[in-house]
Amino acid sequence: MTGLPLRLATVLAALALAGCSGSTPSSQAPSVTTTVGPSDSPSASPTSSAPASPTPGSSKTGGSTFTIPTTAKGYAQALLTAWGNKNSSRLDLLANQATVQQIKDNGYPNADWTYIDCTASGETSECVFRNAHGDEVLISLVNTQLGHPTAATQALLSRTTYPSDAGAYVGAFLSAWQGGNQQRMARLGSSSVTSALKGKTVPSGYTTSVSGSTVRIEQLPAGAGPTFVFTIVSGNLGKAHAISAVSTA
């Protein structure tokens, strides 16, 4: 019985000695090494190759910036240029879809356009242009959309026609004369015809009589003005320049 406490004391002493000889745990936190690639480097300044967004009133197409016109005349001219160049993306930018379809349905007339007039009325403007063939286009624009996309809401095209009947042919010429469409007059008649009529008053009312290659236009009421006698080249009916001469009686 007296030996048990001695052995216990010996064991306890051995355990105490082992605890004193062990290393103390470190209080330093573990380190973590992170590998940063070149593109991930915090010091790298990010760059962007994306093009700058177009400013209001402009469109980025084909590597160049197109500035949308802010005037009715300029806007209509830009629309006609896109029409003549068959530039569908530009047409979509400048006109609403109903007008784009209207333009496509009209086909592609002569693109040598002459500015005639632009008239503002309320919220819209209407611009008239005529081409070298006497075709006349009326472009309607929303004034508040000028300088912005889709301002064009209408593009009415009146093409020059060439009747195959002598009386109707002269009637088309007189209508062009009444409307001041000199380009159409030049297509229907010769240069000598338009020169002969310079300074004369266009008939507002008349009767027509056809005899062979001549068409007589007698103004109404009787005596309101001279009688015009147009000479027709029969082989040119249905084509341009069928009226070769005009005289008064």
Side-chain angles (χ1 to χ4, degrees):
M1 293 294 290
T2 58
L4 179 58
L6 179 60
R7 287 195 298 272
L8 179 59
T10 302
V11 171
L12 291 174
L15 290 173
L17 180 62
C20 292
S21 63
S23 60
T24 59
S26 171
S27 62
Q28 182 179 357
S31 63
V32 178
T33 302
T34 303
T35 303
V36 181
S39 61
D40 299 323
S41 173
S43 62
S45 298
T47 59
S48 174
S49 60
S53 299
T55 58
S58 65
S59 173
K60 192 81 171 179
T61 56
S64 61
T65 300
F66 166 71
T67 301
I68 301 176
T70 57
T71 65
K73 177 182 177 181
Y75 207 105
Q77 287 175 324
L79 183 71
L80 291 174
T81 298
W83 188 351
N85 291 336
K86 302 181 181 180
N87 189 333
S88 297
S89 61
R90 187 65 54 80
L91 288 174
D92 288 337
L93 175 68
L94 297 173
N96 63 24
Q97 285 305 300
T99 305
V100 171
Q101 188 59 52
Q102 188 179 41
I103 288 172
K104 291 179 179 178
D105 291 343
N106 283 328
Y108 296 92
N110 175 273
D112 183 12
W113 294 101
T114 298
Y115 169 72
I116 303 303
D117 183 51
C118 277
T119 304
S121 177
E123 298 179 352
T124 62
S125 290
E126 292 187 337
C127 295
V128 176
F129 291 78
R130 297 188 187 116
N131 65 16
H133 289 181
D135 303 328
E136 184 173 282
V137 65
L138 174 67
I139 297 174
S140 298
L141 304 160
V142 178
N143 292 330
T144 55
Q145 279 298 109
L146 295 175
H148 303 281
T150 63
T153 59
Q154 185 172 250
L156 288 175
L157 179 66
S158 170
R159 286 184 178 271
T160 298
T161 60
Y162 307 97
S164 56
D165 174 80
Y169 201 105
V170 171
F173 180 91
L174 291 172
S175 293
W177 188 7
Q178 290 169 341
N181 191 334
Q182 296 179 5
Q183 292 87 345
R184 184 169 293 176
M185 292 170 65
R187 288 288 291 181
L188 296 170
S190 64
S191 58
S192 62
V193 171
T194 54
S195 296
L197 294 175
K198 188 172 295 184
K200 292 188 168 52
T201 303
V202 57
S204 57
Y206 56 87
T207 60
T208 304
S209 58
V210 180
S211 177
S213 61
T214 62
V215 178
R216 290 176 62 89
I217 300 297
E218 297 184 16
Q219 296 194 56
L220 296 175
T227 295
F228 294 98
V229 181
F230 292 89
T231 302
I232 302 296
V233 179
S234 299
N236 283 357
L237 288 172
K239 299 181 292 186
H241 308 303
I243 302 173
S244 61
V246 62
S247 60
T248 57

